[in-house]
Structure formats: structure tokens, C-alpha cells
Amino acid sequence: MKGYLQFILIPFLLYVSNSLGQEKYTLSGTISEDSSNETLIGVTLAVPELKTGVTTNEYGFYSITLPEGTYTVLISYLGFKDITQEITLSGTMKIDFKLEEEAEQLNEVVVTENVEKMDIRKPQMSVNTLSVGTIKKIPVILGEADVIKSILLLPGVTNAGEGASGFNVRGGAADQNLILLDEAIIFNSSHLFGFFSVFNPDAIKDVKLYKGGIPARYGGRVSSVLDIFQKEGNSKEFKMNGGIGAVASRLLIEGPIEKDKAAFLVGGRASYAHLFLPLFDVDNKAYFYDLNTKLNYKFNDNNNIFLSGYFGRDVFSISESFVNTYGNAVGNFRWNHLFSDKLFSNLSLIYSDYYYGLKLDFVGFNWNSGIRNFNLKYDFKHYVTDKLQLNYGINNVYYQFNPGKIEPSNDESGIVEDQLIQKYANEFAAYVDVEHKVTNSLSLGYGLRFSQFIRLGQDELYTYANDNPVIFDPFLLIYKEADPTGIVTPGRGGTLATFNNFEPRVSLSYTLNETSSIKASYTRLAQYLHLVSNTSSPTPLDVWTPSGPFIKPQLLDQYAFGFFKNIKGGTYAVESEVFYKQVQNRIDYIDGANLIANNAIEQVILNGEARSYGLELLVRKTEGKLQGWLAYTLSKSEQRTPGRTLNVDSGRSNLETGINYGNWYNTPYDKTHDISLFTSYDLNEKWSFSSNFVYQTGQPTNYPIGQFEFQGLVVPYYGQRNKQRLPAYNRLDIAATLTPRKNKNKKIKGEWVFSIYNLYNRRNSASINFRRNDDTGTNEAVRTSIFGLVPAVTYNFKL
């Protein structure tokens, strides 16, 4: 670690010492959209004379330090008119720029494909950005624009199939993704068990997915970071937009509270297909609703505050005897402050709550569970020079886990109220990140994150012989739950376990010429929370549990190397990367593990390891009437849990077989080949078209390899884990958008979106089960498919 600190500090100190004595001044300010004052992320401010530049941060702020002189400043952002301005820099200057849209478009946020373009000079790699305009063009199920479904078309990103929630990045599990909405943690990103995501595209400003080379300001998950920012609201004039679809509708309203100083945003969505079910004598229900809100106020040039929130709920019921309710609720207060023209800060106070509830009238009880956290973040961005920037800050999260509480639903149920043992934890982190342009060809990014996780005391804790909650039966060669030897009551004031980890991050970019570069990165990450689930995709019933005395934190080491090239001035771009990931302490479950309402989950968990490696290729076309990309991923994702060597009471060593005999086996989300092709074509002002084609290797699964009879019953038996696969998955989706020409003369502008999901009606397998045919007496395989061809129509409008 000492050597790593020297690696960070020596280049920084040398650079600062070489810069002393030079007469330099700072140009800073914000860049926003002229029509709404909405700040813009990732706008390029270039100084051609010095071949240098800077991009705006998440709040539209920029700062660049240059030698005294006269320069031409070029501000560019696709979808907006360029600004070219001559500036004489003889002292510190503050200039705010307003960008005008090139043309009126229906997409509420004209954050077009420029944000998706690759910067070959920056050391940041393994990052994909999608604009709101692109997300709305991608054909999806039932015609509802969807953030999660859109990122599935990117290289290295998959999920467990149709109707599956969550997503998998570079062979990682769904719980290994950190999902942030305005910096607040989202624990379940899906509506209706995966058919929709919780993110309203009308309320979104920026979507960025980090798959590797993850900056030190992020931590807590070992696979990826999906960072989403909501719009701030229009502080110039009242605006409204929305859409009416086949199964859901949405509406967003924004406007000034005080012109040019304060604004509000309120957006809502709701599904209503369940309202038509009684017409078909169906008493079941399945629906969702959510609400996005945001307020912002500009006190002066140095101080801005933001108050944002999200609330969403899903309800699924069967004849009122079974009601399942779940969803997220988050709130965030943020204060942006400029200490100087070089030092930007953001203080955030965040609350996040994920709730899961069951009402089971037929057995007479209610079930409530969830996870809450309170988060304090203080982040700084220091623009030292035009070639050196520092990011540093602290982050503290307090967690409260409620595994479940059972309550009688009525006085006659006979159910006794019971609370599973609640758990508490605190996660602290401090970080520093350096963005360093060493030469015109070499750029470095290096940083260090220190994380500390404290598993706090709880009301009760089981103890076990030899501190081993899982025992191995050497005769049956199976793992079994150990019987507790006692119960201790440490109380909430105690500490059960403490984990400390240093997480270095290094990335570099070397420019070969004006159009090509090579990049490399190393990332170390620690994850202290685990999703207790033995399904291939998350379900609302899954429970999060913290690391502690019996469950170790997951530790990731990821290496990536890539070649990047722009063609024809950036009209085309080629990105290729290879990666290797190694995860320590990936949890696994003993065969037959009971994960639901388990008060001693440590009795069914073993610590193993996981690895994944692969090749990613992305070819983009980002300009012209025809745009899109081709993504291909060749990868392998494996996991193993070798046998432990334990010292038993006799003093002898007992070597266990491990899970799957200690052999590597395919994870449930291993997809050898993954191909995605997305295209969009603007025929004219009236018509535009889009399509996407997806092909994936079938999901790993287990088929019976034999059977035996026992007391007249035929019992199948299985071989090693995930040895077989479902058939390959593929489908083609298309969409057409009609924008009437009379829109130009109307106050309310509208468009129609016609889409067909799974055009050739492919019956992709969600699962394959085996049963005995009662007529023939032979075994047969039964395929379960979720969707065939699904047409949809959506009407979008803007006022």
C-alpha cells in the first residue's frame, strides 16, 4: 500500500512543482440549455490553440486553468448550436454559456448521441452512456421506453430472459450492480417482476453504466455502477409532456417557481391493464405506479440546493386472498457550493427504503420486510490545472435490515406475531481520484478508496460449535445446517464484525494517433451486502443480508485492456475490450437451502469464488440519418465453492467435497455469445424507424440425467450444477414513429409510436420442465414461454 500511495503522490507533486511560477488564470462557469436553464452534462469546452479542453460535470459546471492570453473557446454538444467565442484571459473569469437547440424535437431532453461518443484520449474505459433520445427509440415490450431494457443491448450486459428483473454485467450477479437514482441506492429496479423498470424516461437527464475502470468515488458493489440523474426542472417556462400506451401512461410537469432561480418537476406513471380484467371475470390484479419529484433553488452563483424524490409501488393480487406489495422510496437533499473557481463541492443527505409485503388471507397473516439506509456524502472536485483534476470525498451509510415480520391479519387467524432478527450495519468510505494528462498522448486516472464496514450488534445471535454454522456429513457427502449451541444477546450498541479494505483504481489511455488509442485499467472493489436468492434473477421475496461473523465481504479484482478508434471524424467508432474478473467470497448455497423466512441464514451459506473473462466489441454509427450500433460479447462466467479444511474436536483434518465436488460450474447468467444490433433511421420529418435484433446463448440450467423408482414413485436425479442449457434466445423488434407535419403550428405537439416486439413470434424458452405423460407413461419435456409476437401503440405529446 505504501508503494501505491507513492505511485499516486509522486506524479502529482512533480506536476505541481513544474507548474509553479507560471502566470495562469482560471475560466469557469456553468453550461445549460437556453430554453429551460437545465444544466448539461458532458458538454465539451475546447481551446484549439492549446489542444486542451474540459467537459462539464454532473451539475453542468466547468473549470479550466490556462496561461494568460487570448484564445478561441469552442463549446459543442450535438443537438445544440456550437458556440465560438474569443476570450482574453488576463485574470480569473466566470462565464456561463447558454446553448440553443438546433431544431425543435419532441424528445423532452435533447441529450442526443454526442454523450454516447467515445473520447479516445480519456483514460476512462468500460463505460457506456445512453441518451434519453436513444432510449425512447429502442423498441421494447408493450411499447414502454425502458432504461434497463435499453442497456441490455450494450456489450457485456445481459439478463435472465424475458420477464426477468435486474441485469448482469460481465458475468456478474444482479445484486453486484450498484444502481443510483440522484445518488440514492435503488435495491429493486423493476416493476411487474421485470416487465418494466422503475425509471421514468421523461424524468431522466443522464444514464451512465460503468462496467470496469470504476472511479474511486463509487463502491459497495463488485460488478457495475448504473448512475442515473433526474432532470432539474425548467426554470424559464411551464412545460408538460407525457404518453398514453397500451398498458401504462405517464405525465411530467415542470416549470419555474421563481424565474431563472427556482424550478419544480413532478412526473408520474401508472399501469391500468388490471382495470379491464373484471370484464373477463378475472379477479386478479397486477399494476404499478411511481412518482418522481424535484425542486431546485439557486441562491447565488456559488450556492444551489436540490430536493429530489422517488416513490414507486407494485401490487399483485389473486382474488384478494393473496396480495403482494413492494417498491422503493428515496429522498435526497443536495447542496452545491463553489469554494472558488477551482473547487466545486456537493453535499448530499439521502434516504432510501425498499419495502416488501405479503398479505395472505387464506392462512391469516401479513408479512413485511425491507431494508433502509441513511446516507451522508460530501464530494469535492478540484480543478488544479487544465491537465490535473482531483476528486475526493467521504461517504457514510447506515443500514437497517428487516428480514421479515409476521403479523396476524385478523383476530381469528391463530397466527402468533413474530419478528425475525433485525440486523444493522454502517459503511464508511473515503476516496481520492486523480485525472492526470501527462502528455498529449498519455493520460492517467488513478485513485484509492478506503472502505470500512461495521456489522453492528443485534438483539440475538446464534453461536455454533467451532464457529461453523454449516456442517458436512462425510457419509452422505452433503452439507447440513448446524444446530446452534447457544444464543448471545450483544445488543445494538455492540459490534459483531469489522472489515477494512483499501480499493485502488488505475486506468490509462495512450493515444496512437488522432483517431486511435489503447487503454488499460485495474479495479479493486469490495461489496458488503449480499442478496440471498437462489433464482437466476432477483424477485421481490429475496432478502438482503450484510457481511458479518459468518459471511465475508466479496472482493473483486478486474483487469481490462482495450483498443479504440474513431473513423470519419467520429461518425463511426470501434471499441474493443478484453476483461478478466476474479471475485473472492462469492456466496453459494447448500443443496436444498431454505432461504425464505430463515432466521439463521448463515446455516445455508458457504463462501466460494467466482471468475469471468471475455471479449467485448462495439461498433457505432453516431451521425447521419442512419444510426445505431452492433455489440458482440464472447465471455465465460463461472463459480466454485471448494471443500473447507476444518479442524474437528479429534484434532484430525476433515477435507470436504465442496459444492459441485469443488469444480467450477457455469453461473446462471453465463452467456457464451451475446449479439445485439440496434438501428434507427430518420426517413424524413414525418417518419422514423428503429429495430433491434438480439441473439444469446441459452441460459445454463439442470436437466435430469436419470431416474429411479421409490415406493412406486419415479424420482429424477441430477448431475453437476448448470451442466445443460436452454435453447438459444433470439428475437427481432421493430418500431415506427409518426410525427405529423402539422406539429409545427400546434401548441400541443404529438407523435405516434407503433411497435412490434418479437416480430417473427419466436417462442423463447423461459424454462424447461420434465414430467410423465399420463397417457403414454413416458417422460416428456415441457417448455414455458412468456411472450410471442406483441404489437403496441403509444401516443406521446409535449406542451
Side-chain angles (χ1 to χ4, degrees), residues 494-516:
T495 299
L496 302 181
T498 300
F499 303 96
N500 298 306
N501 283 288
F502 288 96
E503 306 172 33
R505 321 284 171 87
V506 183
S507 59
L508 66 87
S509 172
Y510 185 80
T511 304
L512 302 175
N513 50 50
E514 290 297 320
T515 62
S516 305

Side-chain angles (χ1 to χ4, degrees), residues 35 216 219 260-261 276 333 485 488 508 521 607 638:
S35 63
D260 295 329
K261 287 184 69 72
F276 302 100
F333 171 81
T485 57
V488 296
L508 66 87
S521 68
N607 287 303
E638 299 175 301

Side-chain angles (χ1 to χ4, degrees), residues 67-210:
E68 183 179 3
T70 299
Y71 303 100
T72 299
V73 175
L74 174 63
I75 295 113
S76 60
Y77 199 57
L78 195 66
F80 292 83
K81 296 177 181 178
D82 291 350
I83 294 178
T84 302
Q85 184 170 327
E86 187 175 276
I87 294 175
T88 299
L89 196 62
S90 57
T92 296
M93 296 181 67
K94 178 176 173 53
I95 303 178
D96 295 334
F97 294 98
K98 302 286 186 181
L99 298 185
E100 297 181 1
E101 295 180 26
E102 286 185 334
E104 183 70 16
Q105 298 183 23
L106 185 60
N107 290 339
E108 181 63 21
V109 183
V110 192
V111 183
T112 54
E113 282 66 32
N114 183 61
V115 298
E116 300 169 8
K117 280 191 174 182
M118 167 191 57
D119 189 337
I120 64 170
R121 297 184 181 274
K122 284 192 173 183
Q124 183 66 65
M125 63 185 299
S126 307
V127 177
N128 293 114
T129 301
L130 283 181
S131 71
V132 175
T134 298
I135 291 171
K136 290 184 175 181
K137 289 180 180 179
I138 296 175
V140 290
I141 184 70
L142 298 172
E144 291 295 315
D146 193 294
V147 172
I148 301 298
K149 297 297 188 293
S150 299
I151 66 173
L152 293 177
L153 299 177
L154 298 172
V157 187
T158 63
N159 72 350
E162 290 174 330
S165 60
F167 57 97
N168 308 103
V169 176
R170 289 186 168 177
D175 70 311
Q176 295 175 333
N177 303 313
L178 177 64
I179 303 174
L180 301 174
L181 179 64
D182 274 352
E183 301 183 309
I185 300 173
I186 301 296
F187 287 95
N188 189 329
S189 61
S190 299
H191 280 312
L192 296 183
F193 306 101
F195 291 119
F196 305 98
S197 75
V198 300
F199 306 110
N200 183 346
D202 289 340
I204 289 173
K205 176 180 181 177
D206 186 67
V207 177
K208 190 170 292 184
L209 176 68
Y210 297 86

Side-chain angles (χ1 to χ4, degrees), residues 695-716:
Y695 174 89
Q696 294 177 354
T697 301
Q699 183 179 329
T701 188
N702 285 103
Y703 297 150
I705 61 173
Q707 64 184 36
F708 62 91
E709 287 195 16
F710 179 74
Q711 296 183 350
L713 297 176
V714 177
V715 181

Side-chain angles (χ1 to χ4, degrees), residues 160-164 195 699 701 703 726-729 758 762-771 780-788:
E162 290 174 330
F195 291 119
Q699 183 179 329
T701 188
Y703 297 150
L726 295 176
Y729 178 98
N758 197 359
R762 163 84 175 182
R763 307 301 295 185
N764 287 297
S765 300
S767 66
I768 292 181
N769 298 305
F770 293 84
R771 68 185 182 190
E780 61 183 10
V782 180
R783 179 185 63 191
T784 300
S785 299
I786 297 178
F787 290 118

